[in-house]
Structure formats: C-alpha cells, structure tokens
Amino acid sequence: MKRILFRIMTVVILTVACAREMPVSEPEPPVADLSEISEPGLAYIKFDEETAASIENETADGRFDSPIGVISMERVFPYAGEFEARTREAGLHRWYKVTFDKNVSLTKAQSDLKDMNGACQVRPVLKMKPADIPFNDPYAGRLWNLDNDRGTDINVTSVWENCTAGSPEVIVAVIDEGVMLDHEDLAGNTVPAGQNGSYCFVDEHSGPRVTGDMHGTHVAGIIAAVNGNGIGICGIAGGDASKERPGVKIMSCQTFYTEGETTAQGDFASAIKWAADHGAVICNNSWGIDLSKMEEDEKIKYAGEMHEFFSNPNSGKFSDPLKDAIDYFNNYAGIGSDGEQTGPVAGGVVVFSAGNDALQYGGYAAYPGVIAVGASTIAGKRASYSNYGDWVDIAAPGGTGGNLIWSCVPSTDGKTSSYAGLAGTSMAAPHVSGVAALIASYSGGPGFTREMLIDRLVKGADNDILPTTERIGPLVNAYRSVSYNSGGHPVPPADYTVTAASNSISFSWHLNKDNDGNMPDTYKIYACTDRAVLEATDPAAPGESVIWTEVKARDADKESKLTAIITKLDFETDYYVALASRDFLGVHSGLSAIKTVRTGRNHEPVIDFPGSGEFSLHAYEHVYVHFNAYDPDPGQNVAVEYTGVAGTDHVTRQTDGNFILTINGAGAKSGTYRSTIIAKDDYGASSSFGISFTIKENTAPVIVKPFDDLLLSVGDTYTFNSAEYIYDPDGETLIYKIPAEDINIADIMQTDSLITITPTVRDGYGFTTIHLSATDAGGEKTGGSFRLAVRPKDVHISVYPNPVSSVLNVGTGETPAQASIRILSVGGATVLEQTVSCSVFDPASVDMSGIAPGRYTVEVSYGGTAYRQYIVKI
C-alpha cells in the first residue's frame, strides 16, 4: 500500500520545497507526447516567485512574447480573500493557465513555454472523464452495498443504529458533474449554490450556479441521500429524517458541463481548493484521465507514464497544479484563515476512484496524498473493470451488471427526481467518502485531525473479505472504522442461554456494548470438560483442551440476538462453557459467567417418508416420492443407502436431507419387490424404512377397429388417429410405428398417435401396403396392415406403369368387379383382350411383353361403362 502523505505542519517546509525547485531545463519526467489526452490550446505553467510577482504587478513588459500565440494567462487559483495568505504560502499563486492557439501542437507549446523567463514547470491540461435497511426508503431493498447476508457490504447499519447517521457539521465536496441540489432525496443535505457554497468551475458556465447531471448526482446520493424520509434510497451519511436529524452536507463543485452530446471540463484544481476554503473536510473525486480513445497498447503505455508521474511526491519535475490543490486541501481543510481549527477535522481527506481501465496503474489516484479506492463485487472479489495495485488503499462496492449500485439521478428532462443503478469505481469512491463522513460526524471536533480519520478509515477496513491477491485493498467497514480505537474495553455478555442435544451445545445471547457504547467485532464461545482449565483460559489463546468457535457481531438478527453451536462433543458428558468478546483491535474481554451443561445420548437418524411405502404400478408407470432423512441431533451428517432392484428403483439426493425415490415399472417383470432405505449418522447409529412395490401383469395391446384400405389422389391429405384402431387395456400410451413397403408412393408424418398421409407419386398412380403397429411399455406388440392406392382425381381406372415394358397393372373401383380389358392399336385393331376380376386395391396384371413398342389405347369396361386411357409400350 502506498504511504499516505499527511498534512505538512509548518510553513518552513513549504518554503524549502519551493526554494529547491529546479528550472524547467531539468529533464522532464518520462511522459511522451500527450496531445491525444490533453485539451488543445491550454497548458499550466509555474513561475518562480520573482516572475509571478512581476506578472501580478504588471511589470513583465513583454517577457512572454511567444511564437505559439499566447492569447491569455490567468492564475489557476484565483485571489482567495481571507485565505490569500495561506494560498501564497503554499505557492499556489505561482501556477498560471495559459491559453494559446489551438492549432499549435502540445509538444511545440511545451517547448516554447519552457523558454519563458522564470518558468519552473509546464504541465498539459489533461482530458478527464467521470470514472464509470433500517429506514423506510422504498429502494432500500436494492442496496446490497449497504446491507447483505454475504458480509460483502460496508457494514453501515450498525453505525446508524448505534453511533451516528451523519452530521451537518461535516461538508463533503463532490468534484464531478453538477449535483441536482433540489433532488427530492438530496435537497435536505446539500449546500446551496452561491459565492460561499456550491459552485461551477467550467469556463463560460462558471459561477455560483450548478447544473445537476447524472454522474455527480449519483455520487452525491451514495454519500448523503436523506434517510428515513420514505423517499428513494438510503445515503451512507444521510441522517435520519424520521428523527429530524440531518445528515452531512454535499457541496457540489461542478467540473463537467454537458449540453446535448458535448461535455466541457472545468478547472479541477481550483474546485478542490475552493472546497477547502469553504468548509469541506472530505473531497470525493470519481473521475480520472480519459484514455478511452486510445488503442490498447497505447493506452497501457500512457497509463504507465501517468502512474509514474503522479505516484511521485509533488516537487521539482513532478510538480503539478492538481497535486498542489490536493496538498492544499489536506493541509487547510477545516482550518480558518487564522490557522485555528474551524471544522470537525483539522485537515482534509481527498478520496479518488482508482479507475475503470482494468490496469495496474492509476492517474491522480496514485498520488500519495489521496485515498485510492478500488471496486469490489457482491461476491467479495475485485470488479473486472477496476484498476488495481499496491497503490490502492481501500476497496468498496462498485457493482456489476447484475448487481448495480442504486442512487439518485435527475430524470431524463433534468427537471424532476429519479433513481438509477450504475457500476464503476466512481460508485466505490463515494462509499469511502461516506464512511469518512460518518467518522468525522461521530468523532470530529477540536483536536480531531485528518491523520486520526485516515487511521480509523484504513485500519478499520476488513482484511478478511477481500483476498490480498485482488490488490485493491481491504473492504471499507463503516462500523469498525467509526468505533475503531475508541478507548473502551470489550466486556462479555452479562447473560446467555445454553442447551444441549446429543453431542452438541447451543448458545444464544444478545449484543452488548463496552463502556464507551461500542459493540464488539467478534464473540468467542468456549467449552471444556474441566472447569479449572476453563477458568484459567486466556480468551485470546485457549489451550488444546478447550473447544471453541466464534461468530461475528454483525450476524445478529433484528432483535440483536446471536446464536452459536459447538458440535462433535462427547455424548452424555458434563461440559463447562463461557463466552468472551473481542473488539476490532483484537483486544479480548474476560470470560463470562461459567455454566454447566450435560450432553445427551446419540439419537438415530429420522427417515421422514410420506405414506406406508407400498406401491402398485403398471409397466408403463413411474413412481416419484420426495422424502427427508435427518439427524435430530444438531451438527451431525446423515448418509442414506438404498438396497433396490437393479434397473428398477433408486434413491437420488437433491439437497442436504432431501431425497427422491424413483420406481420404474418397466425395469422388471411383473411381481412384488422389496427394498430398504437405510440412514446412518456420523457415529454409526442407523434407522431403516421398507419399500414394497408390485408391478402388475402386462396386457398386450388389442385391435379394436379393422384397418380399411385407402384410395387417395395426388393433392389429398388424409389424417387419422392410431388410437382408434389399437387400444391398450392397461390404459397406457402406446408407441406407434407405420412403415410403408414402397416409400415413394406417399409421405407419412407421425405425431404421437396422429398419422397424416400425403400422396407423392409423380405420375399420379401408385400402390403400396402400409403396416401399423403399437408397442406397450412391457414390449408387447400388436398391429395390422392396409393398402394405399393413388390415382388422379375423377379417374375411374388405374393403369400403370406408363410407359410399360412388360406387366401392366389395371384396377377398377374400390370393390372387386368383372372387367373386360382390351388393348387397341393406333389403327383401332384389338391386339390383346381378356376378362378379369379386379379392383383398385387388387389390380389385374396384363402381360404386355409380346406386344410391339408403340402407342396403344387401354379400354376397361365394368359396371356398364367403358373407360379408356392411352399408354406407351416400350
């Protein structure tokens, strides 16, 4: 973790730092051409004291003639009235912002500006971007970041209930987009815009007015949305409106101004200094250098260079106006112009989001004078987008797509109040600012310094939730930090209850506080078979003969009750038990009163099976039964075994203690079978439950309706239900199959028992036999056949194939009839004649092999009518 620079206490040190600054001819830090990430036509320049004085006295006399076309030059930190003396002591009056021709490259501008008389340092103006419950507030249920059952929240509810919800004496500056100061859930906790309040620092929009935008309002809501007002969300330090207790105040220092799709940025350094001079003691910065338009390799390169520059102390070639502003805030926030403490904290705390580039580098967040904040997820991991590294001081919930951070925003028209979920280190930073505001609200006052606040903030963070391998610091913990190093000594619970069941002992007690009103971090529970050994036990280091466990105080329920259990003790044995508490510093209380309890005998597991366990089923049926198996003695595991019939019945575990018995009627022949469920505990005690099932005799399917032959024409579709022809006496659903001997005659589509036949024969004539069968679950099968004939519509005879080489099939109607068949040549001569009995389903076969190739007429006479059709003999 980087070293956090504390407030410089004497003017002498500041003076020496300035005196040692080298002229700009000293080699610059390793920063390449920054044109892509810098504002065109703007630069910061720091002059020596003599030159700065001559500029102010208007005696510079042309010393600043430059080929880059300097348009204007003004102090970065304007005249500060009653605070001007300390502004000059900090050397801030020597920084100027130079406006020059935008067509001049940054590289040339820096080179020419370095040649100005008295120039000590030249810095580009970098492009910035925003870094992406017990109250009755309706959105409180969405605030997993403030309270969840995983322990990955910031543990703030205990602060609200036992310490503070914020104080209006604490002012938090939000350096960001403008905050919607009249938002319905923020208005009670904002500093109005004015000459000594919220202010806009964007050129052409600057002044005592603020335009509320989404990002800045969202950040402010996380810190100080009004609690207990029945509206919107809960803010970390938003007070309690239900008890008429206001929260901390938000000062909006607007540094981004959005109009349409265009966003202009303002002077961040001036905004930070303004906040220090106008009462803020905490400064939230959810923004960073804009690298978004760069290619990945280029972005990594620039990020590394920016990291090196800003992670170095603010002196010589590494000096920067924003670093100066941060140092000024750290030194003078909460301090009056006379040098006396006026705010709740002597000195300020500057909080920065680590950035959303998923890199191990930071920009301004890497500066040792700030608290760098990484983003964590609901799962207690580093958010994938969060920057990381040993320079990150602390982590806080930043959200992900599935678990966003909810807060206040303006509506789309910018005029009414709304709420939205966002994710990013932008959301993580205000969590830390909010907790810092709670610390200042609770402990602030004369003599309370920024060093004390930072010590509590960082050392009170939870190192157990986020692995150090995530490299975003420990998770901020509001209650631990607010109550950290309070001076009180933990005390054990005054009373508790203890009961035994089998070889387990259960404890319950209520939260208790130390003499300063602070709750412990952890409770420890002890058990021993020797009273003398327990009486002599050091709560911080119990010996091997003492069994113990621990629970977190934050795990208490809504009635402030905690429970714990010690398991796997000896059966039917006397145990001596006690409790102790431990605070956040690891200091333990003494032992509570010692109580005696006797463990019981080992009970057999219980198999909770619905019904008698007897079943009767057909081959096609399945049985599914949910049952439970558990041990009545706490803390014991239950293993379930099942002796079943292979392939027929088995038991499947669903969750702990929940099981399903499955019986498959088709898995065995008909008959009666018996199986057993056996449950065993960790110590061998067991119980059993018998299962009996009978698989009934299977009855084969039967044909209940004769199969009718079918005559169709091309273009027809015929659908029927197979279940109308074949039925199962056992009532089961059958499996039907319907193959055709000639698959070229028709398409046959089957959906369960529903059959659809569509003729497809090309010349319009065809004949095939179709077999329909049904099989039941026991493998019994029944079926039959029918014939399918196809011929064109409104045709009364079937003559095929055509052309014919040897045998010609001739059919009549659907019922057999005597028919006279004649084959006539083109000239009308009879070349073949015969009389047959035939139908469309039993066609006559006419031997054409002895007839010469050519065109012929087939005449078929039956029922008193003669029908003719042409054929070709090949």
Side-chain angles (χ1 to χ4, degrees):
M1 178 181 294
K2 70 173 186 290
R3 182 172 60 89
I4 298 171
L5 299 183
F6 295 123
R7 182 162 60 97
I8 302 172
M9 300 301 295
T10 66
V11 175
V12 174
I13 296 177
L14 287 172
T15 305
V16 170
C18 292
R20 289 182 177 177
E21 284 188 6
M22 299 296 291
V24 80
S25 57
E26 179 183 353
E28 286 294 299
V31 178
D33 180 10
L34 302 179
S35 300
E36 292 186 65
I37 58 173
S38 301
E39 289 288 324
L42 289 176
Y44 294 123
I45 183 169
K46 189 175 187 180
F47 293 106
D48 60 29
E49 189 68 52
E50 178 185 355
T51 304
S54 68
I55 295 173
E56 288 183 331
N57 296 328
E58 299 181 350
T59 59
D61 293 335
R63 280 191 280 177
F64 307 118
D65 292 338
S66 171
I68 67 172
V70 173
I71 298 170
S72 65
M73 189 164 55
E74 60 182 351
R75 269 177 56 170
V76 172
F77 303 98
Y79 179 76
E82 64 176 305
F83 301 108
E84 179 65 12
R86 72 185 190 190
T87 301
R88 302 181 78 84
E89 287 174 348
L92 304 189
H93 66 296
R94 296 164 53 200
W95 278 107
Y96 279 78
K97 181 166 70 174
V98 179
T99 304
F100 54 88
D101 187 343
K102 291 184 178 180
N103 295 316
V104 176
S105 71
L106 177 64
T107 303
K108 176 170 176 51
Q110 284 182 299
S111 176
D112 286 356
L113 291 173
K114 291 173 188 176
D115 293 335
M116 281 188 171
N117 291 330
C120 296
Q121 174 72 306
V122 177
R123 291 289 301 151
V125 178
L126 299 176
K127 293 179 181 178
M128 307 298 182
K129 65 173 182 178
D132 293 321
I133 292 193
F135 297 120
N136 61 350
D137 306 81
Y139 285 102
R142 298 184 180 184
L143 305 181
W144 65 267
N145 46 312
L146 304 187
D147 186 23
N148 69 65
D149 58 8
R150 300 188 183 193
T152 55
D153 56 72
I154 66 168
N155 194 19
V156 71
T157 56
S158 296
V159 178
W160 294 337
E161 294 165 353
N162 297 280
C163 305
T164 181
S167 165
E169 300 300 316
V170 178
I171 299 176
V172 181
V174 174
I175 315 297
D176 209 298
E177 291 181 343
V179 175
M180 185 179 181
L181 300 176
D182 59 350
H183 189 286
E184 64 178 10
D185 209 15
L186 272 170
N189 289 340
T190 56
V191 177
Q195 292 295 342
N196 293 304
S198 294
Y199 203 89
C200 180
F201 294 87
V202 182
D203 290 344
E204 300 180 4
H205 305 283
S206 62
R209 57 189 180 277
V210 169
T211 303
D213 283 314
M214 174 180 283
H215 195 271
T217 305
H218 197 277
V219 166
I222 293 171
I223 299 170
V226 178
N227 298 324
N229 59 352
I231 299 173
I233 65 161
C234 300
I236 294 170
D240 186 352
S242 66
K243 298 178 181 177
E244 299 183 352
R245 296 175 182 172
V248 301
K249 293 293 185 181
I250 296 292
M251 174 185 288
S252 178
C253 297
Q254 184 173 356
T255 50
F256 294 101
Y257 185 92
T258 301
E259 192 166 1
E261 296 183 358
T262 302
T263 298
Q265 72 177 47
D267 199 320
F268 297 87
S270 292
I272 293 173
K273 181 181 183 296
W274 169 279
D277 287 342
H278 292 86
V281 292
I282 296 162
C283 179
N284 188 88
N285 298 268
S286 289
W287 50 271
I289 302 169
D290 187 359
L291 304 174
S292 60
K293 295 181 180 179
M294 291 184 168
E295 296 295 332
E296 190 64 23
D297 291 347
E298 190 179 33
K299 180 168 70 172
I300 293 173
K301 170 189 173 185
Y302 278 113
E305 292 173 347
M306 292 297 98
H307 183 87
E308 180 177 353
F309 182 87
F310 291 113
S311 61
N312 272 282
N314 183 31
S315 61
K317 64 183 181 180
F318 292 105
S319 63
D320 184 88
L322 205 140
K323 287 183 179 181
D324 274 343
I326 293 169
D327 292 346
Y328 185 91
F329 192 94
N330 291 341
N331 293 336
Y332 294 117
I335 304 294
S337 58
D338 58 359
E340 298 296 322
Q341 181 177 350
T342 57
V345 184
V349 176
V350 179
V351 177
F352 258 89
S353 58
N356 298 337
D357 301 305
L359 299 174
Q360 59 180 343
Y361 303 120
Y364 290 107
Y367 184 47
V370 309
I371 303 292
V373 184
S376 64
T377 68
I378 193 172
K381 302 291 185 181
R382 174 174 65 88
S384 60
Y385 52 78
S386 179
N387 289 356
Y388 58 93
D390 295 340
W391 54 275
V392 182
D393 300 296
I394 197 167
T400 58
N403 294 282
L404 299 170
I405 306 297
W406 279 79
S407 187
C408 308
V409 296
S411 62
T412 53
D413 63 8
K415 297 178 181 178
T416 56
S417 303
S418 189
Y419 304 87
L422 298 176
T425 54
S426 281
M427 285 62 254
H431 283 81
V432 173
S433 294
V435 172
L438 288 176
I439 298 171
S441 298
Y442 189 65
S443 300
F448 188 72
T449 66
R450 71 178 296 268
E451 291 86 352
M452 296 176 182
L453 194 157
I454 293 173
D455 189 58
R456 295 185 179 205
L457 179 68
V458 177
K459 291 183 179 178
D462 197 332
N463 287 280
D464 297 329
I465 301 297
L466 287 170
T468 55
T469 53
E470 300 291 354
R471 299 183 68 192
I472 54 173
L475 182 65
V476 66
N477 187 306
Y479 188 76
R480 285 172 56 127
S481 290
V482 169
S483 59
Y484 187 86
N485 200 25
S486 62
H489 192 283
V491 294
D495 194 20
Y496 61 98
T497 61
V498 57
T499 58
S502 182
N503 64 339
S504 297
I505 301 176
S506 298
F507 300 78
S508 66
W509 69 99
H510 285 85
L511 287 172
N512 67 297
K513 300 177 181 179
D514 63 22
N515 295 332
D516 282 353
N518 294 313
M519 293 186 305
D521 176 59
T522 306
Y523 287 96
K524 284 188 174 180
I525 301 92
Y526 308 89
C528 184
T529 57
D530 188 323
R531 184 185 183 98
V533 170
L534 184 59
E535 288 176 341
T537 292
D538 177 1
E544 293 183 0
S545 59
V546 177
I547 301 167
W548 62 278
T549 187
E550 64 180 16
V551 296
K552 290 287 188 180
R554 66 176 299 170
D555 293 334
D557 62 18
K558 293 182 178 179
E559 283 71 42
S560 297
K561 184 179 180 181
L562 285 149
T563 59
I565 185 170
I566 296 179
T567 62
K568 296 184 179 180
L569 303 173
D570 294 332
F571 297 103
E572 300 178 286
T573 302
D574 288 331
Y575 278 90
Y576 303 93
V577 298
L579 282 76
S581 63
R582 185 186 68 195
D583 67 15
F584 298 115
L585 296 175
V587 178
H588 288 71
S589 71
L591 291 177
S592 67
I594 295 176
K595 295 186 178 183
T596 306
V597 63
R598 185 172 181 81
T599 54
R601 73 174 185 86
N602 187 29
H603 297 87
E604 297 78 14
V606 174
I607 299 174
D608 184 8
F609 195 95
S612 64
E614 297 182 356
F615 305 95
S616 178
L617 66 161
H618 291 95
Y620 66 89
E621 292 179 316
H622 286 73
V623 170
Y624 300 97
V625 181
H626 291 261
F627 69 93
N628 300 319
Y630 63 91
D631 199 298
D633 301 324
Q636 291 204 41
N637 300 308
V638 174
V640 170
E641 300 174 359
Y642 186 69
T643 60
V645 180
T648 303
D649 58 326
H650 62 276
V651 165
T652 305
R653 183 191 186 108
Q654 298 299 296
T655 58
D656 287 344
N658 299 310
F659 302 85
I660 294 180
L661 167 67
T662 302
I663 304 174
N664 175 17
K669 296 180 179 179
S670 59
T672 299
Y673 303 88
R674 289 178 174 81
S675 302
T676 306
I677 301 171
I678 302 172
K680 294 182 179 180
D681 69 10
D682 294 334
Y683 299 92
S686 66
S687 57
S688 62
F689 186 85
I691 301 296
S692 174
F693 58 93
T694 299
I695 300 176
K696 298 178 182 179
E697 193 75 34
N698 186 42
T699 304
V702 295
I703 297 174
V704 295
K705 182 179 178 179
F707 298 106
D708 297 322
D709 293 329
L710 183 62
L711 174 61
L712 295 175
S713 299
V714 174
D716 290 344
T717 297
Y718 181 75
T719 302
F720 68 95
N721 193 335
S722 302
E724 296 177 2
Y725 293 86
I726 304 177
Y727 164 76
D728 189 82
D730 296 329
E732 68 178 289
T733 299
L734 300 174
I735 298 174
Y736 295 93
K737 291 185 178 180
I738 185 166
E741 291 184 359
D742 187 345
I743 62 174
N744 297 312
I745 303 302
D747 281 339
I748 301 175
M749 301 295 294
Q750 179 181 353
T751 305
D752 297 327
S753 65
L754 200 66
I755 308 296
T756 300
I757 300 175
T758 304
T760 59
V761 63
R762 290 184 178 182
D763 60 3
Y765 293 93
F767 180 85
T768 188
T769 299
I770 297 176
H771 303 282
L772 175 64
S773 65
T775 306
D776 67 13
E780 297 289 344
K781 182 177 182 181
T782 300
S785 301
F786 63 92
R787 294 171 293 183
L788 170 65
V790 179
R791 68 186 178 195
K793 282 185 182 298
D794 302 324
V795 174
H796 299 282
I797 60 173
S798 300
V799 179
Y800 62 94
N802 187 9
V804 59
S805 61
S806 56
V807 177
L808 181 69
N809 297 307
V810 179
T812 55
E814 295 185 49
T815 58
Q818 284 293 114
S820 174
I821 302 173
R822 287 200 306 159
I823 307 297
L824 305 174
S825 67
V826 175
T830 299
V831 297
L832 187 149
E833 184 175 8
Q834 65 184 63
T835 299
V836 296
S837 177
C838 63
S839 71
V840 70
F841 301 113
D842 291 298
S845 298
V846 179
D847 185 4
M848 299 280 289
S849 60
I851 298 176
R855 182 178 179 184
Y856 295 88
T857 299
V858 177
E859 182 183 85
V860 180
S861 300
Y862 73 97
T865 304
Y867 304 95
R868 290 188 174 192
Q869 183 171 325
Y870 295 109
I871 65 168
V872 175
K873 170 65 170 66
I874 56 175

